[in-house]
Structure formats: C-alpha cells, structure tokens
Amino acid sequence: MAARKVITIDDENYALTDDFLSNVLETAVEGACSYWADVNAENAGGEDEGLDGARDFDVSDYLEDENEEREDVAEARSLDAPFYTAATFLVSKDASQGGTLDLEGIADAIERIANQEVEVAPAIREVIIAAIEEDDPSEIDAEAADCIVQVGLFDEILFS
C-alpha cells in the first residue's frame, strides 16, 4: 500500500507507509499485547481475524539465508503477512476498557512517543525513533508495539 502518514519529530517530517504501520499493528496483535488484552483484528479484506483466526508461524518466516539481501527478506515476508487495517484491544479483566486502533491511531501514538509527549522508557523511544529513521518497522519489537498500542488507547502505559 502506498498511502503515507506524515509525522513530525523535532521539527523533521517522516512519512510512514501503511505497510510500516500495519507491521507495527501486526506485532501488537500477534502477541505483544496478549498479556493484558483480548484482540480482534481487521485485515485489508475487511475480514476479522480474532484469536481463533491467528496465523500459524513457522520458524522459517524469521530465518535469513546468509546470501539473501535484507530487502529481499523483508519483501518475501511482507507477501505472506496479513495487512491489518485496525484492531480492537479489550482489557482481559475488564472488557469495558480498551478500544479500536486504526493505522492513523498507530501513527499518532508513534509521534507522541517520539516527541516525548507521554512517559515511556527511553530505550523504547530510541527503538521507535530508530525504526522511523531507518524506515524499518521490524525494528519495533513486541515491547515497543505494546507501548504504542497502550499510548494509542489510554494516552499512557497502564500495563507492564
């Protein structure tokens, strides 16, 4: 997808593609938030992918052949990955808490974290900024994706 969301960090603009944002959302949906939330995601086809619809992962998805270029691995991985457009995260212990985040919400949360508008561990902020600067969403690990979702939903980190 070619759509882009522009965010500003320290007066510098960065364009995040829908693919970048979907990858972050996928990381959150596929387990980063599972310790506090029940998740239901909507993919680009408009279909829901609840917990029963989660994909099976194969270790080969994450192994890199020494002879392959990094871009080739990322491209091959993206062809198999679902493209999430939104996800609903409901607090497991209280389903009245939580909500739905779309790609715009993910971009907004990333921008607020990067600009230090919310309190997040400095290491998490550094990981997110590095991913933005390198235009590599795979740099955003489960912990950072979880923080992005929590900031997007609650404006702060409630669960750790």
Side-chain angles (χ1 to χ4, degrees):
M1 299 238 152
R4 295 183 177 272
K5 314 280 186 286
V6 177
I7 65 171
T8 303
I9 302 170
D10 295 329
D11 298 323
E12 191 168 338
N13 291 332
Y14 295 90
L16 303 179
T17 64
D18 282 355
D19 286 332
F20 183 103
L21 298 168
S22 179
N23 190 296
V24 173
L25 188 57
E26 178 187 1
T27 300
V29 166
E30 300 287 345
C33 300
S34 64
Y35 72 98
W36 64 267
D38 294 322
V39 182
N40 188 38
E42 185 175 306
N43 63 31
E47 298 175 15
D48 286 341
E49 298 217 8
L51 296 176
D52 294 335
R55 327 185 271 135
D56 292 328
F57 285 98
D58 186 303
V59 172
S60 64
D61 289 342
Y62 301 100
L63 296 178
E64 182 175 338
D65 185 318
E66 291 179 20
N67 297 323
E68 290 180 321
E69 294 288 328
R70 183 175 183 171
E71 293 81 21
D72 293 338
V73 173
E75 183 178 333
R77 172 73 177 98
S78 69
L79 294 175
D80 293 334
F83 186 85
Y84 292 130
T85 57
T88 301
F89 299 85
L90 299 178
V91 177
S92 298
K93 294 181 181 180
D94 181 1
S96 67
Q97 293 182 5
T100 300
L101 273 180
D102 59 10
L103 300 182
E104 189 70 40
I106 295 292
D108 179 59
I110 288 172
E111 184 174 32
R112 291 175 28 218
I113 290 170
N115 285 314
Q116 301 182 30
E117 294 174 22
V118 292
E119 188 174 328
V120 175
I124 297 293
R125 184 173 290 108
E126 289 172 16
V127 163
I128 292 170
I129 291 172
I132 293 165
E133 291 176 345
E134 295 172 21
D135 193 26
D136 184 2
S138 68
E139 295 289 324
I140 296 179
D141 61 8
E143 188 176 8
D146 177 37
C147 289
I148 291 166
V149 167
Q150 289 189 55
V151 167
L153 292 174
F154 309 116
D155 296 322
E156 64 181 330
I157 306 300
L158 296 178
F159 308 100
S160 57

